[in-house]
Amino acid sequence: MKKIIKNPYSHFILLGLVLLTLPYLAEAGAIRNSTVTVIGTTIIYTIAALGLNVLLGFSGLISLGTAGFMGLAAYISAYVTETMALPFEVAVMAAIGIPTLLGILVGILSLKFEGIYLGIATLVVAEILREIFINVTPFTGGATGALAGRPVLAGTFQLNRIQTYYLIVVVMVLIFILIHNLTKGHLGRALNAMRGSEAAAQAMGVNIFKYRLIAFGIATVLAAVSGVLYVHYVGLSYPTTWNLMLSLDFLAIIVVGGFRSIFGTFIGSFIIFAMSELFLKPIPALANITPLVKGILIIIFILYYPNGLANIKHQVSHWLVRRKGKRDAFGQTKAEKKNLTRAEVRENDTV
Amino acid sequence: MANFIGVFLRSLEYGSFYALSALSIILVYKTSYTTNFAQATLGMFNTFLVATLVMRQGWSLYAAIPIGIVSAVILGVLIDIVIIRRATKAGPVGKQIITLGLISVFLGLTPIIFGVDNLSLPRFVSSGTLTIMGTPFSYNALFNILFGIFIMLTMFATIQKTKIGLAIRTTASNETTARIMGVPTKTVTMAAWAVAIVLSMISGLMTAPYSSVSLTFMNDVQITAFLATVVGGFATFHGPVIAAYGISVLLNIFQVYMPSGTIWGKPLLYAVLLLIMYFKPYGIFGKQRLKKV
Amino acid sequence: MTPSKTKELALKIEDVSIAFGGLKAVDNLSFAIERHEIFGLIGPNGAGKTTIFNCITQFYKADSGSIHFINAKGKETDLMDLSVHEIIDEGIVRTFQNVELIRELSIMDNVLIGAHHVMKQPLLGQLFNRKAIRKDEAESREKAEKILAFLDIEHLKDLIAGSQPYGVQKKVEIARTLMSDPELIILDEPAAGLNDTETKELAMRIKQIRETYQTTILLVEHDMRLVMDICDHICAISFGKRIAVGTPKEIQSNPEVQKAYLGEEGELE
């Protein structure tokens, strides 16, 4: 029993089960139907943000293109199912495959750029994509947007709104498990090494080229999955949706939630997206305040809580224990910590 | 031919907008070691202030601009003191994220303070046209070109010839050494932020009459300015400025002479510049710094 | 040169030169290291010691000359044909002058990075956490624990590397090199920042590592006592040029070395 409780898979599955109950609560009148829709969208954003977390949190590579890749997948999926009238599964493959190839291409470009250039390069890529969304009208519908129906699985099972929500939850749990598998071992260490010290990583045999491509690949696959789910859940895609603000939201999600934390990404997504949709937007006086709050949260977290909410618990206990002069989780007492140089007191350093 | 001269002159005018923004970016980069993604947003915010005074309060443009400059300086000082100075623990990407947070802050603040409607802004020179080799050309455009060049030259002269410039250059090359040698690096960084935001605002004031004052009206300028900074290289002050004028010429040529250039000229140029970034990642005027291990 | 001809060589450096912006950091340098010896590279600051390390490990590509490694099986490899990340596959691993660890990860995870090139884990296998992957991970952990125990830091294995004292961090770096099944370990100033007791322990460790792990060790060090104490052979360089090679005794009595190096650093003990 203890083994089951400690197993991270069971945490993800438990979270999934809790989320699956929401439509029943809505039916019972405990929560509003619109709340379920907001939570569904939050989960979709969590998936894209998790991809960015693999890229930025683990590998230390910044991308401002998340929204662009998500949008590209959304348009492709809508085009393949609606205009080409091909099965949902084909659309999924095309909508994940094409952006991922593009993402890997950006990964190749990234090899020549140090951190500070990468943000600019991805910003430019997102801008090019945005121009395509606006101008290639036969493909994207231009300013009027593209429409998409709910998924039809295996050509026969037409999902309704609630069933699509279930699909989203299941996909999220699967992705959490897979990303957990990928990041907890060999690959996770290589990505961490790349971020921690590129020189040491290379000396230890980590092929920077290969792992940058893998990191960009994972990030785009997740952004694409997120885009596909978005367009078939929300039903349409506008060019204005996929702007820099959305990419900044993803950034805010992982900064607030916590770098390298799967649950942190979920919590961050809840705070950045769901909170404003559910609590701020319904109040007219606060409706416009959302970007301001997001921006302040980003700055405060980077300055004071660089490990995000996922690690605040550790930080607090760390601090409490140290005050008492006991050895904390980092094996230091407060007195010892005082003797360390500034450079050594940097265990909270992230990016 | 007349057409080409028109294109060229317009390139110079738009080059001013880009160059001012690029200079703003490089000033902050040199003293705070981060790319200020909020450059355009901060310029937009102050342009909104000036536009509000002009459109809503009936001020003259020339009375409103000094207020905008004061506001820009105060913002620069505040951002440096309240945020940038405290970001000692954040790495370069961490600082970039902070500037991205600033975008969100000011995109949120602007409609709260100035309202949700777009505004418009008059030109510096309201009317009058002259003809250069058969090409009509407004006095305002001429003013933008000359004023842009004037600011660039003043900035370069300040950086190269004065004591303040020396302080900026030493801070840029090595902050710790500069501080030990008695250069007030904190003041230099603060001043750089203040001047950078003023430059962004001037870029905004010049751009605004050709579009409208909206939350996103400076985005294109920002992206072009960033590309100019990368192509010109972060190593020098003049590299990005020269690249800004160069890119402006290319952009206008792409837009005018390419089939459906008005739509695809810009994204195509962006893609070309990305490729240049790939092959010359440290810019045309820049040099790769050898990493010591 | 004194090395007896019967011993096999592990590393041959011949006429290596590299210049940065016209300045010759390494100038026609040659030396050879025998298998299982501890070889010291000494020289005043800026003599080009770390540059040589970077040339061997391919962080820098030498302008001219050749660098050959002969592994335990007798296979000779031209290191200049390899990329940085391929060097470790030959059995060559290094530490860094300024400790390069992943500060936010545990000591265990940092050590495990050393086994990166040994672990053959296909991406799909990792994705689905296959049994073979779990077994590989468990075995690597066991190996890492043994190494940490060997260095007396096993009790710290779950602590965050970045918050450890410098001495421990240096040990973690050494543990990481041992994790990679090395044939040649390159240590860049292993004693820098250590106190006297720690330096004595380090000297003992380096000898122990050679015996236990059957490796060759090349080190750059400023602490003369350490170098003279543990090295079998030493190469002294100044301004990128070799001035002497020999046993510690020979180096100490070499007038060239005394002039170029000891003259400014004081007497040898």
Side-chain angles (χ1 to χ4, degrees):
Chain A
M1 188 62 199
K2 209 172 172 189
K3 213 173 158 189
I4 298 174
I5 293 173
K6 282 192 92 175
N7 185 344
Y9 292 177
S10 43
H11 299 174
F12 299 144
I13 293 169
L14 186 69
L15 175 67
L17 289 176
V18 169
L19 291 171
L20 285 180
T21 60
L22 293 185
Y24 295 98
L25 291 181
E27 215 165 302
I31 54 174
R32 270 184 299 200
N33 265 326
S34 62
T35 307
V36 179
T37 309
V38 169
I39 302 290
T41 324
T42 307
I43 297 171
I44 291 171
Y45 285 157
T46 307
I47 293 170
L50 188 59
L52 182 62
N53 211 341
V54 171
L55 194 63
L56 179 57
F58 280 92
S59 328
L61 302 166
I62 196 167
S63 169
L64 300 176
T66 318
F69 288 115
M70 190 176 164
L72 183 61
Y75 280 119
I76 293 173
S77 200
Y79 185 77
V80 173
T81 50
E82 299 302 312
T83 313
M84 294 170 77
L86 289 171
F88 178 66
E89 288 77 7
V90 177
V92 170
M93 279 193 277
I96 293 175
I98 296 169
T100 304
L101 284 180
L102 195 64
I104 289 176
L105 200 70
V106 176
I108 294 174
L109 285 178
S110 84
L111 266 178
K112 289 284 184 88
F113 308 149
E114 275 173 45
I116 213 141
Y117 293 76
L118 192 56
I120 300 172
T122 51
L123 182 71
V124 173
V125 170
E127 187 61 22
I128 295 173
L129 285 174
R130 211 177 58 86
E131 295 279 344
I132 290 174
F133 298 160
I134 296 172
N135 293 314
V136 189
T137 328
F139 165 55
T140 63
T144 45
L147 297 171
R150 301 211 191 280
V152 183
L153 299 184
T156 41
F157 304 105
Q158 166 73 57
L159 302 185
N160 61 25
R161 191 177 59 86
I162 307 262
Q163 286 160 337
T164 312
Y165 173 83
Y166 293 150
L167 177 73
I168 291 167
V169 173
V170 171
V171 169
M172 179 200 81
V173 172
L174 283 178
I175 283 176
F176 279 9
I177 289 174
L178 296 179
I179 293 296
H180 173 81
N181 285 346
L182 275 184
T183 52
K184 74 167 189 350
H186 190 61
L187 175 76
R189 280 194 301 272
L191 297 180
N192 268 306
M194 200 159 75
R195 182 192 75 250
S197 160
E198 203 160 280
Q202 284 181 300
M204 294 302 136
V206 175
N207 182 346
I208 301 286
F209 180 68
K210 179 177 154 193
Y211 283 95
R212 277 206 176 183
L213 293 198
I214 291 178
F216 269 98
I218 293 174
T220 4
V221 166
L222 294 196
V225 169
S226 171
V228 171
L229 292 176
Y230 178 94
V231 80
H232 293 287
Y233 189 58
V234 176
L236 38 79
S237 165
Y238 291 123
T240 45
T241 309
W242 317 112
N243 59 11
L244 180 63
M245 272 318 282
L246 183 60
S247 290
L248 291 189
D249 280 358
F250 294 131
L251 196 66
I253 286 170
I254 63 172
V255 167
V256 171
F259 291 116
R260 300 181 288 286
S261 164
I262 294 176
F263 270 110
T265 310
F266 182 80
I267 297 167
S269 171
F270 213 86
I271 290 175
I272 294 299
F273 186 73
M275 293 282 224
S276 75
E277 288 292 320
L278 296 177
F279 303 116
L280 294 181
K281 287 206 175 148
I283 305 165
L286 298 178
N288 283 329
I289 211 173
T290 318
L292 180 62
V293 173
K294 283 176 194 165
I296 291 174
L297 281 178
I298 292 179
I299 294 170
I300 288 180
F301 270 84
I302 287 283
L303 288 182
Y304 301 108
Y305 309 99
N307 282 335
L309 282 175
N311 291 300
I312 265 189
K313 201 178 69 192
H314 294 294
Q315 230 162 355
V316 170
S317 65
H318 182 183
W319 180 77
L320 280 177
V321 175
R322 221 166 53 210
R323 273 185 75 91
K324 290 183 196 146
K326 286 185 198 155
R327 283 184 184 272
D328 60 15
F330 299 89
Q332 291 168 339
T333 63
K334 193 185 181 190
E336 279 171 8
K337 185 115 180 175
K338 247 186 172 166
N339 293 330
L340 296 178
T341 64
R342 200 180 166 80
E344 284 165 324
V345 192
R346 275 177 41 180
E347 75 271 24
N348 292 330
D349 232 2
T350 43
V351 279
Chain B
M1 191 60 199
N3 183 18
F4 181 76
I5 288 167
V7 168
F8 182 72
L9 287 173
R10 194 169 63 209
S11 303
L12 283 186
E13 188 189 4
Y14 277 68
S16 286
F17 312 161
Y18 305 140
L20 285 166
S21 286
L23 195 57
S24 164
I25 292 166
I26 194 79
L27 257 181
V28 167
Y29 176 80
K30 285 285 192 184
T31 50
S32 299
Y33 316 101
T34 189
T35 51
N36 178 16
F37 284 110
Q39 181 271 134
T41 317
L42 291 165
M44 175 276 293
F45 181 83
N46 289 299
T47 308
F48 249 104
L49 173 66
V50 172
T52 305
L53 291 177
V54 174
M55 301 302 295
R56 298 238 158 95
Q57 310 294 325
W59 289 38
S60 97
L61 179 63
Y62 293 96
I65 288 174
I67 305 289
I69 291 176
V70 170
S71 150
V73 168
I74 292 174
L75 265 185
V77 170
L78 277 181
I79 288 173
D80 182 57
I81 290 177
V82 178
I83 299 166
I84 302 299
R85 268 186 206 178
R86 291 169 202 264
T88 46
K89 268 188 0 182
V93 176
K95 282 189 190 166
Q96 281 187 319
I97 297 175
I98 288 176
T99 66
L100 291 164
L102 282 175
I103 295 185
S104 208
V105 167
F106 283 92
L107 282 185
L109 270 182
T110 306
I112 293 174
I113 298 177
F114 304 111
V116 290
D117 298 325
N118 291 352
L119 299 174
S120 57
L121 203 64
R123 302 172 178 202
F124 284 119
V125 185
S126 51
S127 64
T129 312
L130 74 167
T131 309
I132 300 174
M133 296 173 78
T135 312
F137 201 60
S138 74
Y139 282 119
N140 184 61
L142 188 67
F143 175 82
N144 281 342
I145 294 172
L146 295 179
F147 190 53
I149 292 172
F150 169 74
I151 292 178
M152 296 309 149
L153 293 180
T154 317
M155 288 294 299
F156 291 148
T158 314
I159 290 166
Q160 292 302 331
K161 307 273 186 220
T162 67
K163 235 181 128 182
I164 306 162
L166 187 66
I168 295 175
R169 278 182 290 139
T170 43
T171 309
S173 83
N174 189 327
E175 202 204 337
T176 317
T177 316
R179 201 171 51 233
I180 292 165
M181 303 301 282
V183 175
T185 53
K186 281 189 172 174
T187 317
V188 169
T189 308
M190 193 169 78
W193 272 91
V195 174
I197 299 177
V198 172
L199 290 174
S200 297
M201 183 193 70
I202 298 175
S203 177
L205 292 177
M206 286 181 174
T207 317
Y210 296 97
S211 53
S212 66
V213 186
S214 70
L215 287 179
T216 55
F217 86 100
M218 279 189 76
N219 283 8
D220 277 358
V221 174
Q222 154 124 329
I223 287 175
T224 313
F226 264 122
L227 282 169
T229 327
V230 175
V231 171
F234 283 91
T236 63
F237 285 98
H238 61 267
V241 169
I242 296 171
Y245 284 105
I247 289 175
S248 180
V249 173
L250 282 179
L251 182 59
N252 274 290
I253 289 174
F254 272 51
Q255 284 181 332
V256 174
Y257 295 105
M258 211 180 86
S260 54
T262 41
I263 296 174
W264 294 113
K266 198 171 60 179
L268 190 74
L269 180 67
Y270 287 169
V272 170
L273 292 174
L274 268 183
L275 276 183
I276 293 181
M277 256 177 103
Y278 181 74
F279 291 108
K280 289 265 251 182
Y282 298 90
I284 292 169
F285 303 94
K287 244 190 354 206
Q288 176 172 9
R289 264 189 291 177
L290 203 65
K291 215 178 151 192
K292 268 195 93 169
V293 284
Chain C
M1 260 175 81
T2 38
S4 51
K5 296 282 179 284
T6 51
K7 290 226 171 180
E8 326 162 33
L9 292 181
L11 187 71
K12 280 191 298 189
I13 296 192
E14 286 164 340
D15 302 321
V16 166
S17 297
I18 186 169
F20 298 115
L23 194 78
K24 282 220 162 177
V26 175
D27 193 357
N28 263 324
L29 186 69
S30 306
F31 61 85
I33 302 175
E34 290 169 8
R35 188 167 313 290
H36 297 156
E37 77 165 329
I38 299 176
F39 191 99
L41 195 59
I42 61 168
N45 277 328
K49 301 177 302 276
T50 299
T51 309
I52 266 291
F53 277 17
N54 283 332
C55 286
I56 297 172
T57 50
Q58 303 304 315
F59 276 91
Y60 301 158
K61 289 282 173 199
D63 297 335
S64 61
S66 73
I67 303 170
H68 286 263
F69 179 68
I70 304 103
N71 72 7
K73 289 179 192 128
K75 194 181 127 240
E76 188 168 333
T77 317
D78 185 352
L79 295 183
M80 307 238 301
D81 292 342
L82 303 177
S83 323
V84 190
H85 67 267
E86 290 166 338
I87 291 297
I88 200 168
D89 293 328
E90 302 301 318
I92 304 172
V93 65
R94 67 176 288 181
T95 64
F96 294 86
Q97 215 173 70
N98 312 305
V99 176
E100 301 267 348
L101 294 176
I102 315 161
R103 308 187 59 91
E104 306 84 20
L105 291 198
S106 69
I107 287 179
M108 173 55 93
D109 281 329
N110 269 285
V111 175
L112 283 172
I113 291 282
H116 179 85
H117 75 292
V118 192
M119 297 170 115
K120 292 281 168 274
Q121 297 197 359
L123 208 56
L124 274 182
Q126 292 184 62
L127 191 61
F128 299 110
N129 200 20
R130 303 286 294 269
K131 206 168 171 191
I133 301 290
R134 295 202 297 269
K135 194 165 150 252
D136 194 28
E137 286 284 314
E139 282 169 2
S140 301
R141 260 166 215 280
E142 222 169 278
K143 182 173 159 195
E145 275 167 17
K146 276 194 194 130
I147 291 168
L148 289 169
F150 169 74
L151 294 170
D152 285 336
I153 47 172
E154 201 206 348
H155 58 290
L156 303 173
K157 67 175 197 255
D158 294 323
L159 302 183
I160 301 298
S163 57
Q164 295 307 310
Y166 200 59
V168 174
Q169 294 195 13
K170 290 216 134 184
K171 275 189 178 180
V172 175
E173 251 204 342
I174 291 179
R176 186 171 68 185
T177 64
L178 294 177
M179 193 69 195
S180 68
D181 303 328
E183 288 190 25
L184 170 65
I185 302 179
I186 301 180
L187 301 171
D188 200 349
E189 300 200 13
L194 300 186
N195 61 30
D196 261 11
T197 337
E198 286 172 326
T199 308
K200 280 203 185 97
E201 194 200 331
L202 177 74
M204 187 261 295
R205 292 281 178 219
I206 293 178
K207 287 186 196 163
Q208 248 182 14
I209 287 169
R210 173 183 42 187
E211 299 315 320
T212 317
Y213 292 89
Q214 289 294 303
T215 61
T216 313
I217 292 167
L218 164 62
L219 58 92
V220 157
E221 190 43 69
H222 277 297
D223 188 317
M224 277 304 139
R225 216 179 321 173
L226 177 78
V227 176
M228 295 301 166
D229 178 22
I230 63 170
C231 289
D232 301 306
H233 292 100
I234 294 171
C235 173
I237 59 174
S238 179
F239 295 109
K241 282 199 172 89
R242 182 176 106 182
I243 44 179
V245 178
T247 61
K249 262 217 164 71
E250 290 166 342
I251 292 293
Q252 282 180 48
S253 55
N254 186 310
E256 281 292 307
V257 177
Q258 285 177 349
K259 200 174 76 187
Y261 183 74
L262 302 173
E264 42 178 278
E265 293 252 327
E267 291 277 303
L268 269 189
E269 287 149 86

